Amino acid sequence: MPDEATPHYFALIDQLIEGHQWLEKNLGVKPRSGWAIDPFGHSPTMAYLLKRAGFSHMLIQRVHYAIKKHFSLHKTLEFFWRQNWDLGSATDILCHMMPFYSYDIPHTCGPDPKICCQFDFKRLPGGRYGCPWGVPPEAISPGNVQSRAQMLLDQYRKKSKLFRTKVLLAPLGDDFRFSEYTEWDLQCRNYEQLFSYMNSQPHLKVKIQFGTLSDYFDALEKAVAAEKKSSQSVFPALSGDFFTYADRDDHYWSGYFTSRPFYKRMDRIMESRIRAAEILYQLALKQAQKYKINKFLSSPHYTTLTEARRNLGLFQHHDAITGTAKDWVVVDYGTRLFQSLNSLEKIIGDSAFLLILKDKKLYQSDPSKAFLEMDTKQSSQDSLPQKIIIQLSAQEPRYLVVYNPFEQERHSVVSIRVNSATVKVLSDSGKPVEVQVSAVWNDMRTISQAAYEVSFLAHIPPLGLKVFKILESQSSSSHLADYVLYNNDGLAENGIFHVKNMVDAGDAITIENPFLAIWFDRSGLMEKVRRKEDSRQHELKVQFLWYGTTNKRDKSGAYLFLPDGQGQPYVSLRPPFVRVTRGRIYSDVTCFLEHVTHKVRLYNIQGIEGQSMEVSNIVNIRNVHNREIVMRISSKINNQNRYYTDLNGYQIQPRRTMSKLPLQANVYPMCTMAYIQDAEHRLTLLSAQSLGASSMASGQIEVFMDRRLMQDDNRGLGQGVHDNKITANLFRILLEKRSAVNMEEEKKSPVSYPSLLSHMTSSFLNHPFLPMVLSGQLPSPAFELLSEFPLLQSSLPCDIHLVNLRTIQSKMGKGYSDEAALILHRKGFDCQFSSRGIGLPCSTTQGKMSVLKLFNKFAVESLVPSSLSLMHSPPDAQNMSEVSLSPMEISTFRIRLRWT
C-alpha cells in the first residue's frame, strides 16, 4: 500500500506496473480491486490510477472520524469516486469506506469492539495477545455455538444498517497476522463452526462465507442487479480528497507530510534519474540490437534497472516516504535508494555513451565504472550530493555530454566545477560560449583555491544529448562573478575574485534579470519584487518561523502535528552574514542563519527559467528539541482564506483555511506546488520535494521544511523523529498576472489548474539537465562523438508529458521483451493566463500527436493502447498512427521501436 499524500504520480504508476507485471508473470493473477486500509488519508489520484489500470472497485479506511460519522448517517460509505475535473462519469470507480476506527478485528465486525474482539481467535486465553476490553474470546463448540453466533450476528446486523444493500463485508485480519499455520487453523476452525450454524438456521435469514474483496464486490453488484437497479442509481457520486486525516480529538496527521524531508527529496531525485535511465536505456538497447553490440546486450543493466524500480516502489510504502519508520528501517530504505542511484548512473552513462558515439562498433564498457560519469556524487545514503571537480588541461579538451530529460527543447544553465579559473567552453559547433566563473566557497567566508564553478547557457533539443568541450584557456568569453558581503567580520583570501565588504547600511540589496527585480532587507531576506512586464512592485516577503509542540500529554511526533500555537518568528541574535553574487549568467543572495542557509537566485535567461525565482534552503535543525521550521512567503494577494495544493503532482485541490478548526487541520500535503490568488495575480510556490503546506493568513503561503520531535506520538512507531540530516530543499516562486477573473464564480468551482508556465517551471525543477563528464580522454582517435543527438524529432505539444518509456519484461525467463510501455499525460492548464511572450518552446494541439514522427531515427513498428499497468488490452486494440488524449488523461501504450 503506497502512501497517497507524499508520492508523485510517476512513482505510483511505476510501482503499480512493477507489481502487476510480477503478479501476472509469477502467479498468473490480475487484481481487480484496490485495498488501502493503512495510508493516512486518501487521494483521488489513486482512484484515477486504479481506474486506468482496469480496476472496478476499491476500499479505503483512514478517513477523518467526523466524515465517517457523516457518511454512516447518510449511508454513503459506498460511493462512486469521481475526479473533480470530470464533467461526465468516465472516471467513476466504486469505493467502499470502512466505517469504524481501525481495520483490526475488534473494529471490523460491528460497532462494539469489546464484542468483536471476542471473535479474534488468535487472542484465545493462553496466547500472546489478549483483548484490551477485558473479555477474552471463547473457542467455539457445539455447546456455545448458538449464543456466540447470535452475538456475532447482532454486530453484523448493526453494521449493515450503515449500508444501502444487504451484502456486508467483515474483514478478518490485522498487522503481522496469518504468519503461522496455527493462526490459520484457529480462525478457520472456529469461523467454520459459526458459519455452519448460521447457514443451517433459516429463521436467521443469513448466508455467510469466506471470500476475497473481489468476491464481496461481485456479490454487491449482483445484489444491486437483483433489485433491477443500476449501481449509479443506488450509490452516490463524490469528488475530492480525504486529507487531512484525524483519528480522534484534534489529532490531525499533518506531521508526516514533512517528516524525514531528506529522503522525500532523495525520492524525487531517484524518480528523475530512473526516468532518464529508462528512456536512454530503451533507445540504446534498440541501437545495440541493430549493431549486435554484445557488450551492451549482455550487461546487467536490465537487472539493475528492475532492482531500482523495486527500490523506488518499496519507498512509496505508507511508512517509508512518509518518514514514519524506525531509524534503522529508514537507513535500510535510504541505502536501497542510494545503491540504486549509483547503478542508475552507470545505466545512464553507458546508454548515453552508445547513443552519442559515431561508430557504434567501437562501444566498450568497463563494468567497474561508466565512460560517462555524472557531475555530482553522493558519498553515502544520508549525505548531500556534491559536485565533482573536473581536471582541465590546455592540450586535451574534456568532453561534457549534457542530457535534456524533458520532452521539449530547453534553454537552461549548466553549472560544473573545474580546477582552473581560466576556462573556455566550446559548443557542439566548436564556437566558444559565454561563461560565468564563480567562486566555490569552502565555508561562509573562504574561497576555494582548488575549484571554480563554470556556468553557461545550453540550448538542448527535446530528450537531446549535446557535447561540449572544456579546456584551460585564457578566454574573452568568460566573466568572473562579483561578490558583496554584508554583516561581515573578517575575510580570508579573495583570490582572483572582486569581493566588496559593505560596512555601512547603504542602499537596499537588489538583484535583477530581464523579467524580474528583487529587493532584500539587510538580513538577506526578500522584501519585494518588480515584474518588468508591467513595472509594478509587489510586496513579497520571505521569513522563517518555528512551531513548537503542545504542553499537553499528547505531543507532535512522526505522524501528528500538535503545535503549541501560532508559528513564532525566527530570531537571530545578530544580523546574519549575507553574500551577494552578481554575474552574467546568474545573480543570487545567500543569507546564513544558524539553522538555514537560504539562497534566492535569478537566472539571466530570456526563456522560462528567467521568469521565476529559484529558492534553495540548506536546513540543519539537529541541535533543536521539539521544533519545526517553516518558510513563510507573505504578499498583498487577497486570497480570502482560499488556497490550492496539488495532489501527487497530478491535479490541484482547492483548500480553505478554516478558523474554527485547529491550526494543524489547515496543513495539507504539497507534492509539487501550492498557490494563492486574487482577481489580478497568482503566487505559486513550486517544490522539488513533498512537504506540508498551509496558508494561515491572507496573502501567505507556508511550507514546513523539517521537524525534530523528541517523543513518540502513540501511533505505532514507538520513537520520536530525531535522526535529522542536513537537508536541501529546492523551490521556485512564480508570480503571474491574471486576466478578467470572476472571483465569486471561482469560489464555487471545485477545480483549478496551473498555468502552462507553471507546469513547465515545475517540470524543469523536477527534471534538471544531466551533465556527464567523459572520464579521461577518448580511448583512441577513431572514437568520435556526435556533436548532438535529439532522441525526439521535435518538441512534444506543451501540454503533453512523456511520463516514461519503460522497457517491458519478457513473459518467460528473466530479461526484457522487445516492447516498451510509452506512458503519456496530457496536462490540464488554466487558459486565463496568456502564453504570449513567455518563450514557450512548443505549441498545443488539442491532445493530438502523430506517433510515426515521434522519435528521431527510431521507427515505430507498432503502437497499441493498453491499460495503465499493462494488465489489459482494450478488446478493439489495434496499431495506431496518431494518439489523441483528453485533458488530464494518462494513457499507456505498448510500443515497438526499431533503429533505422
Side-chain angles (χ1 to χ4, degrees):
M1 272 170 272
D3 175 45
E4 299 185 22
T6 54
H8 192 276
Y9 78 91
F10 172 90
L12 289 174
I13 293 170
D14 207 63
Q15 60 95 29
L16 276 180
I17 293 175
E18 192 58 34
H20 291 170
Q21 292 254 287
W22 190 94
L23 283 171
E24 193 175 347
K25 183 173 177 176
N26 293 285
L27 303 178
V29 166
K30 294 181 179 182
R32 296 187 287 137
S33 304
W35 173 256
I37 55 170
D38 211 16
F40 328 129
H42 294 280
S43 168
T45 304
M46 201 68 204
Y48 178 74
L49 299 180
L50 293 180
K51 174 79 174 183
R52 298 296 291 166
F55 280 43
S56 46
H57 307 92
M58 63 186 293
L59 175 148
I60 60 177
Q61 150 61 19
R62 287 193 184 269
V63 172
H64 193 298
Y65 60 88
I67 293 175
K68 285 198 176 206
K69 188 176 174 182
H70 180 82
F71 279 37
S72 298
L73 195 64
H74 294 88
K75 294 192 178 185
T76 53
L77 289 160
E78 290 177 322
F79 55 88
F80 282 103
W81 201 347
R82 180 177 298 171
Q83 298 305 307
N84 64 11
W85 39 265
D86 179 7
L87 299 175
S89 58
T91 61
D92 286 12
I93 181 169
L94 188 60
C95 180
H96 172 102
M97 182 192 295
M98 290 167 66
F100 304 127
Y101 171 76
S102 172
Y103 50 75
D104 61 6
I105 296 170
H107 294 94
T108 48
C109 90
D112 190 341
K114 181 179 179 179
I115 293 173
C116 292
C117 192
Q118 296 172 49
F119 294 89
D120 180 357
F121 295 102
K122 184 160 184 165
R123 301 180 195 243
L124 281 165
R128 265 181 298 172
Y129 303 95
C131 280
W133 295 270
V135 186
E138 290 176 25
I140 304 302
S141 66
N144 71 1
V145 70
Q146 179 182 351
S147 63
R148 304 306 282 179
Q150 282 175 335
M151 185 189 278
L152 182 58
L153 194 51
D154 179 57
Q155 289 296 306
Y156 287 160
R157 288 199 200 283
K158 284 173 177 165
K159 183 179 179 180
S160 76
K161 296 272 193 291
L162 309 177
F163 295 91
R164 296 188 179 190
T165 74
K166 292 176 180 176
V167 185
L168 186 72
L169 175 70
L172 187 76
D174 200 348
D175 295 352
F176 312 117
R177 288 302 191 88
F178 297 102
S179 55
E180 298 159 355
Y181 173 76
T182 49
E183 180 176 6
W184 289 90
D185 196 39
L186 282 170
Q187 306 281 26
C188 186
R189 263 204 331 242
N190 285 288
Y191 270 99
E192 273 181 344
Q193 290 177 72
L194 290 164
F195 291 177
S196 295
Y197 176 78
M198 289 184 200
N199 289 333
S200 70
Q201 303 294 315
H203 71 279
L204 293 178
K205 297 183 177 170
V206 64
K207 182 181 177 224
I208 186 164
Q209 66 179 69
F210 284 118
T212 64
L213 184 61
S214 289
D215 290 338
Y216 166 71
F217 283 122
D218 289 345
L220 187 70
E221 299 279 12
K222 200 169 156 190
V224 170
E227 293 188 14
K228 306 258 187 309
K229 292 179 181 171
S230 71
S231 297
Q232 274 69 21
S233 67
V234 174
F235 304 114
L238 175 148
S239 295
D241 70 338
F242 293 104
F243 295 115
T244 292
Y245 171 58
D247 54 352
R248 58 185 163 90
D249 306 325
D250 61 350
H251 292 192
Y252 282 84
W253 296 45
S254 42
Y256 82 92
F257 301 156
T258 308
S259 296
R260 266 78 174 243
F262 179 90
Y263 296 101
K264 286 176 164 73
R265 173 81 189 111
M266 194 175 179
D267 164 78
R268 288 281 263 285
I269 293 168
M270 173 84 169
E271 284 167 33
S272 180
R273 290 285 165 84
I274 207 166
R275 178 180 172 275
E278 294 275 14
I279 294 168
L280 290 168
Y281 173 75
Q282 166 63 202
L283 298 175
L285 183 64
K286 294 298 155 188
Q287 280 197 354
Q289 287 168 336
K290 168 86 173 186
Y291 296 109
K292 300 185 172 53
I293 301 164
N294 288 325
K295 273 252 169 73
F296 191 91
L297 296 171
S298 63
S299 73
H301 288 343
Y302 189 71
T303 308
T304 53
L305 187 56
T306 303
E307 197 175 310
R309 291 167 175 174
R310 290 178 182 178
N311 285 336
L312 178 66
L314 182 70
F315 192 66
Q316 306 314 305
H317 185 276
H318 60 267
D319 281 318
I321 190 170
T322 52
T324 55
K326 289 186 182 293
D327 290 355
W328 59 273
V329 181
V330 172
V331 170
D332 182 65
Y333 284 131
T335 303
R336 288 167 185 270
L337 291 179
F338 173 64
Q339 287 169 345
S340 285
L341 278 170
N342 288 336
S343 60
L344 289 171
E345 182 178 333
K346 172 89 172 118
I347 297 169
I348 290 168
D350 284 1
S351 302
F353 185 60
L354 176 57
L355 289 166
I356 204 81
L357 197 58
K358 245 187 193 165
D359 185 348
K360 310 296 177 191
K361 298 273 193 319
L362 293 172
Y363 176 83
Q364 297 172 0
S365 176
D366 178 347
S368 64
K369 66 179 181 136
F371 259 118
L372 286 173
E373 290 185 293
M374 296 274 181
D375 77 323
T376 55
K377 280 275 182 285
Q378 192 173 331
S379 59
S380 65
Q381 63 90 18
D382 60 354
S383 60
L384 291 176
Q386 300 293 332
K387 291 266 188 193
I388 60 168
I389 299 170
I390 303 166
Q391 303 296 318
L392 301 182
S393 77
Q395 291 75 38
E396 290 286 336
R398 293 298 301 269
Y399 289 85
L400 184 76
V401 178
V402 182
Y403 174 56
N404 170 17
F406 197 47
E407 59 272 351
Q408 273 101 29
E409 64 173 294
R410 180 166 166 187
H411 290 267
S412 281
V413 172
V414 175
S415 291
I416 53 171
R417 288 189 179 180
V418 297
N419 66 331
S420 167
T422 50
V423 62
K424 182 152 70 174
V425 177
L426 302 175
S427 71
D428 54 317
S429 62
K431 293 197 176 82
V433 297
E434 189 174 51
V435 162
Q436 174 176 326
V437 178
S438 311
V440 171
W441 297 80
N442 292 336
D443 56 40
M444 281 194 325
R445 294 178 174 81
T446 322
I447 293 175
S448 167
Q449 304 298 313
Y452 302 88
E453 185 193 67
V454 171
S455 303
F456 60 93
L457 190 55
H459 176 217
I460 304 187
L463 294 187
L465 293 156
K466 205 165 200 178
V467 179
F468 296 87
K469 290 178 188 166
I470 314 166
L471 59 169
E472 197 170 12
S473 160
Q474 295 291 347
S475 164
S476 59
S477 306
S478 80
H479 308 275
L480 295 182
D482 288 332
Y483 295 90
V484 183
L485 310 180
Y486 295 82
N487 311 325
N488 180 32
D489 47 13
L491 174 75
E493 284 294 303
N494 292 1
I496 59 168
F497 293 96
H498 180 253
V499 181
K500 186 177 179 187
N501 217 347
M502 293 296 278
V503 182
D504 59 340
D507 300 329
I509 303 169
T510 60
I511 54 172
E512 60 183 293
N513 75 359
F515 296 95
L516 299 164
I518 314 178
W519 283 260
F520 298 79
D521 67 15
R522 293 296 299 219
S523 295
L525 297 176
M526 182 157 51
E527 286 203 306
K528 57 185 177 182
V529 173
R530 187 175 88 241
R531 293 176 78 247
K532 294 190 175 177
E533 177 191 18
D534 57 11
S535 292
R536 276 184 62 183
Q537 280 193 18
H538 302 268
E539 181 184 300
L540 213 57
K541 290 189 170 173
V542 169
Q543 47 189 146
F544 294 96
L545 309 169
W546 291 113
Y547 282 99
T549 188
T550 176
N551 54 15
K552 292 180 190 163
R553 191 174 65 87
D554 293 304
K555 293 181 165 41
S556 298
Y559 305 90
L560 303 183
F561 176 40
L562 293 167
D564 57 355
Q566 297 292 327
Q568 297 303 308
Y570 185 104
V571 178
S572 294
L573 294 175
R574 52 184 186 166
F577 175 66
V578 178
R579 184 170 70 221
V580 181
T581 310
R582 289 192 181 88
R584 289 283 184 99
I585 305 291
Y586 71 79
S587 300
D588 61 33
V589 175
T590 310
C591 141
F592 294 85
L593 299 165
E594 185 190 347
H595 301 95
V596 191
T597 302
H598 166 69
K599 181 188 292 172
V600 176
R601 175 174 289 184
L602 284 180
Y603 290 98
N604 277 327
I605 303 182
Q606 285 298 338
I608 287 174
E609 279 167 285
Q611 296 173 59
S612 56
M613 302 152 247
E614 185 182 88
V615 177
S616 55
N617 294 326
I618 309 289
V619 180
N620 181 0
I621 59 166
R622 294 184 296 179
N623 66 349
V624 306
H625 289 247
N626 277 336
R627 278 176 152 195
E628 317 200 14
I629 192 164
V630 165
M631 178 172 74
R632 177 189 286 167
I633 301 156
S634 306
S635 71
K636 289 281 192 248
I637 288 175
N638 179 20
N639 58 307
Q640 300 176 9
N641 288 337
R642 290 172 186 274
Y643 65 111
Y644 301 80
T645 59
D646 75 307
L647 288 167
N648 317 101
Y650 172 63
Q651 59 185 323
I652 298 296
Q653 180 66 45
R655 308 286 184 198
R656 271 195 3 234
T657 304
M658 299 202 199
S659 55
K660 67 178 180 181
L661 291 179
L663 186 151
Q664 60 268 29
N666 289 305
V667 177
Y668 290 96
M670 171 188 68
C671 190
T672 61
M673 66 176 77
Y675 55 81
I676 55 173
Q677 59 192 19
D678 58 21
E680 293 184 30
H681 294 94
R682 176 183 288 179
L683 176 67
T684 308
L685 176 70
L686 299 131
S687 180
Q689 57 285 310
S690 282
L691 297 164
S694 64
S695 175
M696 295 299 182
S698 185
Q700 293 181 358
I701 299 175
E702 283 187 11
V703 58
F704 288 71
M705 297 189 304
D706 202 358
R707 50 204 314 262
R708 183 172 166 83
L709 301 155
M710 311 318 289
Q711 62 284 312
D712 184 40
D713 51 7
N714 303 309
R715 291 304 186 277
L717 179 56
Q719 63 160 78
V721 184
H722 29 67
D723 57 348
N724 301 70
K725 317 284 179 241
I726 298 175
T727 298
N729 284 330
L730 184 62
F731 307 98
R732 277 188 172 259
I733 297 173
L734 177 63
L735 180 65
E736 295 173 285
K737 193 166 186 278
R738 304 181 81 199
S739 51
V741 180
N742 182 330
M743 289 296 283
E744 289 311 306
E745 283 300 305
E746 193 166 76
K747 277 183 188 176
K748 296 174 199 160
S749 173
V751 62
S752 182
Y753 299 100
S755 65
L756 264 180
L757 176 60
S758 184
H759 274 309
M760 291 287 215
T761 307
S762 180
S763 296
F764 285 9
L765 188 60
N766 283 283
H767 298 288
F769 276 172
L770 289 181
M772 292 170 274
V773 189
L774 193 71
S775 48
Q777 269 67 50
L778 289 168
S780 73
F783 268 82
E784 270 191 273
L785 301 182
L786 299 165
S787 60
E788 172 181 283
F789 184 35
L791 301 176
L792 293 180
Q793 278 197 34
S794 58
S795 288
L796 294 194
C798 281
D799 54 345
I800 293 183
H801 172 49
L802 195 160
V803 179
N804 209 347
L805 179 65
R806 189 185 200 270
T807 307
I808 296 174
Q809 64 177 29
S810 66
K811 284 266 197 288
M812 307 298 294
K814 289 183 176 172
Y816 46 81
S817 69
D818 61 348
E819 286 185 312
L822 173 70
I823 309 172
L824 299 173
H825 172 203
R826 184 176 171 200
K827 298 182 173 185
F829 63 92
D830 190 329
C831 312
Q832 291 177 317
F833 291 88
S834 165
S835 53
R836 281 200 313 276
I838 61 172
L840 289 178
C842 50
S843 57
T844 54
T845 56
Q846 268 72 50
K848 290 187 170 47
M849 203 170 73
S850 166
V851 175
L852 304 175
K853 298 192 175 119
L854 191 57
F855 293 97
N856 179 31
K857 303 207 166 116
F858 292 91
V860 176
E861 294 205 311
S862 69
L863 183 96
V864 181
S866 161
S867 64
L868 183 65
S869 61
L870 304 165
M871 281 197 299
H872 310 285
S873 293
D876 55 348
Q878 54 189 24
N879 202 4
M880 310 164 70
S881 59
E882 186 181 73
V883 166
S884 183
L885 302 174
S886 305
M888 299 300 289
E889 181 181 332
I890 302 176
S891 283
T892 299
F893 304 86
R894 289 177 176 268
I895 190 170
R896 206 178 259 111
L897 294 169
R898 178 174 49 81
W899 173 250
T900 54

